[in-house]
Amino acid sequence: MVELKQIATEQRNEATANIDTLSSCDMVRLINREDQKVALAVERETEHIAAAIDLICEKMCGGGRLIYCGAGTSGRLGILDAVECPPTYSTDPELVQGLIAGGMPAVFQAVEGAEDDPALGREDLEAIHFGEKDVLVGIAASGRTPYVLGAMRYARQKGGAVLAVTCCPGSEIDQLADVGIAPTPGPEVVTGSTRMKSGTAQKMVLNMLSTCTMIRLGKVYGNLMVDVKPSNEKLVQRCVSIVCTAAECTEAQARAALEQCEYSAKTAIVMVRAGVDAAEAARRLEGAKGRVAAALGEIKS
């Protein structure tokens, strides 16, 4: 049996002990005050998050992948972060993946007992051929989810890098990781409802892991998502806007350049800024490992 009283995320929040007696407006104010603690909790993990980003970048530069693994809310947060990478940064869908206990049905509704089987975590990693080049991020607010622990142990056996995102420092998941990230935003507004403050903390950390990694890989120029995949009308227009901003050109110039390079914002920016054709811009980008600033000679590659 799990001793809930010993788990940090299961403690009772005295500040919200009478929340059921409050008006809707006072409930909202109280929840908002509690949510303000989340960002500060994440801030205290800055060095651990940075170390994790460096490790992910190292593995990806060596041909590895980033794999998130969790159950329930934690698993869904990993999937949410993973599926946003291809449209935002034009990554291969295989590069960043999210696994959840119980598989795809668990994204939409609870799959009873799936999180309690460590063998399922191993099996899910085996199914995607997890290896030594890859990085596994085990996500579990409580720090004890068997499914996640099973996956993390298997990842270590295969020689891959293992990271943890939990809200219980010193927990099994935290200790098993090469780098453990454990923000502690305090007890939940509703006792044990870790989709709230804990979930928000985890989401903030995952945002940082994927975003900073993509920036390090050259998929951002300034603060512009220059590797955006223009897969719909809105993203096509965003692509045009990005080129206009980065290259300081007109919309007509941006569209003309984009049409010559299959709507690659990075290539179009180098074309306009450097006054070269699409082939030369692509060559410069390749030599700069995809970094626009380096391709333009603004920084060393």
Side-chain angles (χ1 to χ4, degrees):
M1 293 294 291
V2 179
E3 286 290 341
L4 294 182
K5 291 182 180 180
Q6 297 177 9
I7 300 175
T9 53
E10 295 292 334
Q11 302 306 301
R12 193 174 186 202
N13 190 334
E14 293 302 324
T16 63
N18 298 315
I19 194 170
D20 61 326
T21 68
L22 302 181
S23 67
S24 295
C25 194
D26 286 339
M27 283 185 198
V28 171
R29 289 194 181 100
L30 181 51
I31 292 173
N32 181 249
R33 283 199 298 272
E34 289 295 312
D35 283 344
Q36 290 174 35
K37 300 175 182 178
V38 178
L40 295 175
V42 172
E43 181 184 27
R44 291 191 287 270
E45 291 296 300
T46 297
E47 292 186 7
H48 292 151
I49 297 169
I53 291 163
D54 289 343
L55 190 51
I56 295 168
C57 289
E58 178 186 336
K59 287 292 188 179
M60 280 194 174
C61 287
R65 301 168 294 172
L66 172 60
I67 311 298
Y68 293 128
C69 171
T73 296
S74 295
R76 295 181 192 105
L77 289 171
I79 291 171
L80 179 63
D81 197 77
V83 300
E84 290 293 346
C85 289
T88 308
Y89 299 112
S90 292
T91 59
D92 187 296
E94 301 294 310
L95 185 66
V96 184
Q97 299 180 45
L99 302 176
I100 185 170
M104 284 308 290
V107 174
F108 305 101
Q109 62 183 40
V111 176
E112 299 300 331
E115 70 175 64
D116 296 326
D117 190 348
L120 292 180
R122 177 190 181 103
E123 290 171 10
D124 283 350
L125 286 190
E126 288 177 331
I128 63 167
H129 307 292
F130 185 93
E132 61 181 10
K133 292 182 178 181
D134 299 323
V135 182
L136 177 70
V137 181
I139 313 168
S142 67
R144 55 149 302 279
T145 307
Y147 171 82
V148 178
L149 287 167
M152 292 174 74
R153 292 189 180 107
Y154 177 73
R156 292 192 74 86
Q157 290 174 14
K158 298 298 290 184
V162 179
L163 309 177
V165 179
T166 178
C167 292
C168 290
S171 61
E172 282 187 85
I173 281 172
D174 194 32
Q175 293 179 12
L176 192 57
D178 297 312
V179 179
I181 302 167
T184 52
E188 298 291 355
V189 168
V190 175
T191 305
S193 181
T194 53
R195 72 184 184 88
M196 300 185 75
K197 287 159 62 178
S198 295
T200 301
Q202 291 173 318
K203 179 66 167 68
M204 291 177 73
V205 170
L206 300 186
N207 283 348
M208 293 175 180
L209 293 182
S210 58
T211 301
C212 293
T213 294
M214 295 303 157
I215 292 171
R216 289 277 307 275
L217 293 178
K219 293 181 175 295
V220 173
Y221 175 52
N223 62 357
L224 302 172
M225 56 172 80
V226 291
D227 245 346
V228 64
K229 185 176 182 179
S231 56
N232 59 42
E233 180 90 24
K234 181 188 76 172
L235 293 179
V236 167
Q237 186 54 47
R238 179 176 290 168
C239 200
V240 173
S241 178
I242 286 170
V243 175
C244 288
T245 301
E248 299 179 346
C249 65
T250 66
E251 184 169 320
Q253 289 173 311
R255 286 188 181 277
L258 285 165
E259 287 169 2
Q260 295 176 52
C261 61
E262 299 181 345
Y263 269 75
S264 165
K266 292 167 98 171
T267 306
I269 291 166
V270 175
M271 289 171 64
V272 177
R273 289 284 297 272
V276 298
D277 62 18
E280 174 61 16
R283 187 192 67 77
R284 293 189 184 190
L285 281 166
E286 184 178 0
K289 299 178 181 178
R291 296 177 64 85
V292 174
L296 292 172
E298 298 171 353
I299 62 170
K300 293 182 179 180
S301 59

